Amino acid sequence: MAEYQLHCFAQSGNAYRAALMLNLIGADWQPMFVDFFGSGVQRTPGWRGDVNEMGEVPVLVHSNKKLTQSGVILTYLSEHSGKFLPRGEDERLEALRWIIFDNQKVNGFLGPYRFLKNFAKPAGDPAVLAFLKARIDGNLAIVDKRLSTRTFVLGERPTIADISLVGYLYYPAEEFGFDIAAAHPSIGKWLDRMKALPGWKHPYELMPGYPLKL
Ligand SMILES: N[C@@H](CCC(=O)N[C@@H](CS)C(=O)NCC(=O)O)C(=O)O
């Protein structure tokens, strides 16, 4: 058994944040496949009782600890490894600020948008997709502006704020119906910088369940 177990599946950008962090810090970890689209195990009372009462993926297991919420998982792993760790109070608060903004408004909208477009049956209502798309465009523009003057979200060094924000951004443009890197050039260049970090892997390589059997 590896030191860390991560309950995850390939299509989850929320889980990708945790999987990528584990790989970037060189952790001894193994994925535990959650059949999110098949059996929908995350909705069962058993899974909610034993694994995560919130019914969400990712879940990180480390000895006697079970952690959920990717922001919490990233914080824990950065504190344990000393890597991608925001340093000092100002950086810690700044990282938390971007992680919350990301969870709520960047990947927090991109994830449901891609789900409704690609995987939901029936597919999402066009009015809902239009609402989400307008919010996504506006919020990606905020991130793009931030990255136009910085190498990484906080400055010259990559931190957990960057690892949170890449959540859904490496999935294929066809899955969104728009090309994030092309529409937001500073995000595009930053995604290339993140991709160059030792240990980087695409979500479809890092987590089980791709391609999806629907
Ligand atoms: N803020 C959470 C979001 C987790 C999340 O929404 N995960 C999705 C899978 S990508 C999920 O489990 N959704 C189930 C649900 O919302 O009922 C995190 O960052 O961990």
Side-chain angles (χ1 to χ4, degrees), residues 2-152:
E3 183 182 356
Y4 295 93
Q5 286 93 47
L6 181 70
H7 294 262
C8 62
F9 59 97
Q11 292 76 20
S12 170
N14 291 304
Y16 178 55
R17 299 180 180 117
L20 180 62
M21 176 74 176
L22 286 161
N23 235 48
L24 291 176
I25 66 174
D28 171 29
W29 72 282
Q30 68 185 97
M32 313 285 283
F33 178 57
V34 178
D35 192 6
F36 193 89
F37 296 106
S39 68
V41 65
Q42 73 285 352
R43 288 193 294 269
T44 61
W47 200 86
R48 291 189 174 192
D50 296 342
V51 186
N52 183 5
E53 65 187 324
M54 294 179 183
E56 288 184 334
V57 169
V59 179
L60 181 75
V61 181
H62 186 212
S63 63
N64 62 348
K65 273 200 188 335
K66 201 176 280 166
L67 301 173
T68 82
Q69 292 297 336
S70 60
V72 171
I73 295 171
L74 290 174
T75 301
Y76 178 79
L77 292 173
S78 68
E79 288 175 355
H80 273 252
S81 66
K83 296 178 183 164
F84 303 101
L85 181 69
R87 296 203 187 111
E89 186 183 47
D90 288 352
E91 267 199 17
R92 269 204 315 279
L93 293 175
E94 192 63 356
L96 182 58
R97 191 166 79 99
W98 283 97
I99 288 171
I100 291 172
F101 181 70
D102 173 42
N103 270 244
Q104 188 190 357
K105 292 188 162 172
V106 184
N107 286 291
F109 286 145
L110 271 169
Y113 182 90
R114 171 169 160 273
F115 175 80
L116 290 174
K117 201 168 157 47
N118 277 282
F119 308 124
K121 291 206 172 103
D125 183 321
V128 174
L129 287 168
F131 168 80
L132 289 173
K133 178 65 166 62
R135 304 288 292 174
I136 288 166
D137 288 345
N139 296 329
L140 284 173
I142 289 170
V143 177
D144 194 65
K145 180 164 179 290
R146 173 85 180 180
L147 289 167
S148 66
T149 57
R150 285 172 179 81
T151 312
F152 295 102

